[in-house]
Amino acid sequence: MEDAQGLARRFGELLAQLRFPEAFELLADDGVYTVIGTTPASGVYHGPKDLIARLVPLLSDFVEPPVVRFEEPIVQGDRAVLLGSGRGVGPTGPYDQPYYAFVMRAAGGRLVEVIEFMDTMMLQSAVFGEQAAH
């Protein structure tokens, strides 16, 4: 049974390999995944099936899928923080996320909670075509 460190490390490796469905399958069936902000991708997802059905299609139109890199997880007990960055080209512009943070909690060998923090305006402009107001 994987602990928080092993799950966080594997989650990051799968994301870096663009194997999103496999990464999201690490979420427990009753787990909760939250994408911060008010973008079309933002919200709360319940379990891997919901995450794969609703989030993956929103992110599937990249012209150049983001190359994502992660640092070694920061772990304390059942909690892990995974820091990373990514660059690519979305359907409506360049995608440059210098800072990702995934805050996770593990139980029973699965992720039971994940909160994804990023520059949501970058997501909005590169993926959904909406520019920031000046």
Side-chain angles (χ1 to χ4, degrees):
M1 188 175 307
E2 274 189 279
D3 61 4
Q5 181 168 344
L7 286 165
R9 185 178 288 130
R10 190 149 59 106
F11 183 80
E13 289 168 356
L14 290 168
L15 289 181
Q17 295 167 9
L18 303 176
R19 295 165 56 189
F20 299 106
E22 290 175 69
F24 297 152
E25 286 287 345
L26 297 175
L27 187 67
D29 290 339
D30 61 350
V32 176
Y33 190 104
T34 303
V35 177
I36 66 157
T38 57
T39 73
S42 299
V44 178
Y45 300 85
H46 300 276
K49 288 180 182 162
D50 184 35
L51 192 54
I52 292 166
R54 293 195 301 132
L55 183 60
V56 170
L58 291 174
L59 304 177
S60 64
D61 293 336
F62 271 81
V63 176
E64 292 177 24
V67 175
V68 183
R69 290 183 174 81
F70 291 99
E71 296 179 21
E72 191 64 22
I74 302 164
V75 180
Q76 183 172 7
D78 65 350
R79 292 267 193 202
V81 175
L82 188 59
L83 301 175
S85 61
R87 283 193 128 146
V89 178
T92 59
Y95 182 78
D96 186 8
Q97 289 283 358
Y99 306 105
Y100 283 112
F102 294 86
V103 178
M104 310 174 195
R105 189 167 55 86
R110 302 285 293 276
L111 296 171
V112 294
E113 180 182 23
V114 178
I115 303 171
E116 182 177 349
F117 295 89
M118 74 190 92
D119 177 348
T120 57
M121 194 61 235
M122 177 56 61
L123 180 66
Q124 189 72 26
S125 67
V127 178
F128 304 110
E130 194 172 306
Q131 299 299 317
H134 294 281

